[in-house]
């Protein structure tokens, strides 16, 4: 099997160290199971991974022209994408910069997510099979959506969870489009006081355990998510995060990562949230959850198209006078 370590931190920094330690445990787990494993480690820090420019070429080519959905902008993005496509088990580490993983991580995810969205891909392939759009459904390399496991490590300097509040949560955006099985996430905060992860035995043990699970969870469906005793448990039963969006004027909340609704209550002075089985089954990281969004997107044209056509002259005039000519127009306000 193929094991990938992906670090968005500085070269030989804390993220590198933790990802590499998890990889040792992953390879040992493979060896113990009699599996031959090849391991790649990639540090992206000095790579040039530009942002998604929103050009839409990937979806136009795929959905309307019978072509692949690859990104047309060529830089180091493709190298990392190829590594991820190659991998069966992934350990991903990223430092927290201003409460979230580094921007480079998000730039990668923006370009990776759409073209690995399992529902969106299957939607178009079904349309090809029915002859509704050009292209041969069998041409698409379905191994891009093969079974994968992933473990996330978020690395932060601050001693409180408070300053790494969106670290692990945001890392979950990497794997959900391709329906990767998440076997663990770890908030490796407090680096400013720990000094070096090798000096924190509990942290190293936890990191080894999530590394082990990337392989064990790949080989055995029964091996699930690791909740370390050393870290407070998550609230969402799907992504195990503790972030919640309050739905105004109700007792309902949503997990912002999974998009599922829960019922909030306070029992014995403790906040509890109950997420029904039905809600868990429609989490964003499930095919059903993605399909809701695919269907929503398909409906956009029917709603927007007539509105835009009916107001074409007005909108063209506004664009010409206020938006395209902005620098000149704004000067007229004295
Ligand atoms: C621009 C910048 C912003 C940072 N913001 C945070 C932060 O919001 N919270 C935090 O805990 N650490 C923050 N840090 C500290 C890093 O997360 C920490 O140094 C981490 O160990 C770096 O990972 P690396 O060693 O893998 O490069 C920040 C560091 C930099 C350079």
């Amino acid at each position: 099997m193929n094991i990938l370590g992906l670090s968005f931190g500085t070269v030989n920094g804390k993220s590198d160290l933790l990802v590499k330690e998890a990889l040792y445990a992953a390879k040992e787990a493979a060896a113990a199971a009699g599996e031959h494993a090849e391991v790649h480690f990639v540090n992206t820090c000095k790579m040039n991974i530009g942002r998604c420019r929103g050009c839409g070429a990937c979806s136009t080519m795929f959905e309307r022209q019978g072509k692949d959905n690859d990104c047309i902008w060529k830089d180091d993005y493709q190298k990392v994408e190829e590594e991820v496509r190659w991998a069966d088990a992934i350990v991903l580490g990223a430092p927290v910069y201003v409460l979230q993983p580094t921007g480079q991580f998000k730039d990668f995810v923006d370009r990776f997510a759409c073209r690995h969205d399992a529902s969106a891909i299957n939607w178009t392939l079904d349309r090809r099979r029915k002859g509704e759009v050009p292209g041969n459904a069998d041409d698409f390399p379905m191994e891009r959506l093969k079974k994968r496991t992933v473990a996330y490590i978020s690395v932060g300097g601050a001693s409180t969870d408070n300053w790494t509040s969106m670290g692990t949560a945001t890392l979950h955006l990497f794997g959900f489009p391709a329906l990767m099985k998440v076997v663990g996430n770890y908030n490796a905060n407090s680096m400013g006081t720990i000094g070096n992860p090798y000096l924190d035995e509990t942290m190293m043990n936890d990191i080894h355990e999530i590394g082990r699970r990337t392989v064990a969870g790949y080989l055995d469906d029964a091996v699930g998510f690791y909740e370390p005793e050393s870290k407070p448990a998550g609230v969402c039963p799907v992504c195990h995060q503790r972030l919640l969006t309050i739905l105004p004027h109700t007792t309902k909340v949503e997990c912002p990562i999974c998009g599922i609704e829960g019922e909030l209550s306070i029992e014995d002075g403790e906040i509890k949230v109950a997420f029904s089985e039905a809600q868990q089954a429609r989490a964003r990281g499930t095919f059903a959850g993605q399909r809701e969004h695919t269907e929503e997107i398909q409906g956009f044209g029917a709603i927007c198209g007539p509105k835009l056509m009916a107001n074409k002259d007005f909108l063209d005039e506004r664009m010409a006078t206020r938006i395209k000519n902005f620098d000149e127009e704004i000067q007229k306000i004295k």
Side-chain angles (χ1 to χ4, degrees):
M1 66 182 292
N2 300 333
I3 306 172
L4 172 68
L6 196 50
S7 166
F8 289 84
T10 49
V11 174
N12 290 329
K14 312 288 193 308
S15 309
D16 276 21
L17 187 159
L18 291 165
V19 169
K20 285 180 176 175
E21 278 298 332
L23 292 177
Y24 282 114
K27 185 144 190 207
E28 278 163 14
E35 277 284 322
H36 171 74
E38 205 176 316
V39 178
H40 290 185
F41 173 81
V42 176
N43 177 296
T44 63
C45 189
K46 293 181 183 163
M47 286 185 175
N48 171 27
I49 300 174
R51 56 161 288 190
C52 171
R53 291 155 168 92
C55 69
C58 56
S59 36
T60 303
M61 290 187 310
F62 184 58
E63 290 167 18
R64 294 189 220 149
Q65 298 171 356
K67 296 183 190 152
D68 203 337
N69 63 355
D70 278 332
C71 183
I72 61 167
W73 300 96
K74 302 300 174 201
D75 56 18
D76 291 332
Y77 165 79
Q78 279 78 18
K79 284 184 205 162
V80 183
E81 183 185 54
E82 277 313 309
E83 290 286 353
V84 174
R85 287 175 176 174
W86 166 85
D88 302 305
I90 301 168
V91 179
L92 189 155
V96 169
Y97 283 5
V98 195
L99 310 185
Q100 285 199 320
T102 52
Q104 192 198 41
F105 165 80
K106 188 63 171 52
D107 280 337
F108 179 80
V109 167
D110 291 352
R111 291 170 72 186
F112 182 80
C114 299
R115 64 189 55 91
H116 293 83
D117 181 312
S119 165
I121 288 171
N122 278 292
W123 181 275
T124 294
L125 297 183
D126 283 345
R127 295 194 71 200
R128 286 186 187 180
R129 279 183 205 104
K130 290 183 208 153
E132 293 172 1
V133 290
N136 182 350
D138 299 330
D139 287 347
F140 190 80
M142 288 305 282
E143 70 271 12
R144 288 182 188 174
L145 298 177
K146 70 181 178 179
K147 172 175 120 176
R148 287 187 187 87
T149 51
V150 63
Y152 301 119
I153 305 170
S154 170
V155 184
S159 305
T160 55
D161 282 5
N162 178 315
W163 270 90
T164 52
S165 50
M166 291 179 274
T168 53
T170 309
L171 293 182
H172 278 258
L173 309 185
F174 166 80
F176 86 78
L179 304 178
M180 295 184 201
K181 172 180 169 182
V182 186
V183 293
N185 62 219
Y186 193 86
N187 185 10
N189 66 320
S190 293
M191 286 303 158
T193 47
I194 290 170
N196 187 300
Y198 280 124
L199 303 177
D200 187 326
E201 201 183 331
T202 307
M203 180 180 287
M204 293 310 292
N205 288 340
D206 287 335
I207 290 297
H208 286 156
E209 179 56 20
I210 64 171
R212 186 188 77 76
R213 286 195 191 210
T214 56
V215 167
Y218 180 83
L219 298 176
D220 181 355
D221 288 344
V223 176
F225 189 89
Y226 177 57
E227 290 252 22
E229 271 177 34
S230 62
K231 297 279 173 184
V235 174
C236 173
V238 180
C239 70
H240 304 266
Q241 298 304 300
R242 289 185 287 145
L243 303 183
L244 292 172
T245 306
I246 290 171
L247 302 186
H249 316 301
T250 71
T251 51
K252 295 192 189 311
V253 291
E254 256 180 19
C255 168
I257 304 304
C258 299
I260 57 175
E261 199 174 279
E263 187 67 42
L264 188 140
S265 60
I266 298 178
E267 289 167 31
D268 301 329
E270 256 187 63
I271 293 172
K272 306 265 182 202
V273 185
F275 291 94
S276 67
E277 293 288 331
Q279 283 294 319
Q280 292 181 47
R282 59 171 287 275
R284 235 189 284 282
T286 65
F287 191 85
Q290 287 182 10
R291 187 42 63 102
E292 281 182 28
H293 186 55
T294 313
E295 285 173 359
E296 183 198 7
I297 289 173
Q298 304 310 313
F300 284 172
I303 298 167
C304 249
K307 226 191 273 185
L308 297 177
M309 286 315 291
N311 293 287
K312 188 174 181 316
D313 291 346
F314 164 71
L315 294 173
D316 284 353
E317 184 272 329
R318 282 290 148 125
M319 284 304 289
T321 56
R322 289 183 71 79
I323 305 304
K324 293 183 181 168
N325 207 21
F326 178 80
D327 289 345
E328 220 169 276
E329 287 299 312
I330 198 77
Q331 297 302 332
K332 292 180 184 167
I333 303 174
K334 302 282 185 206

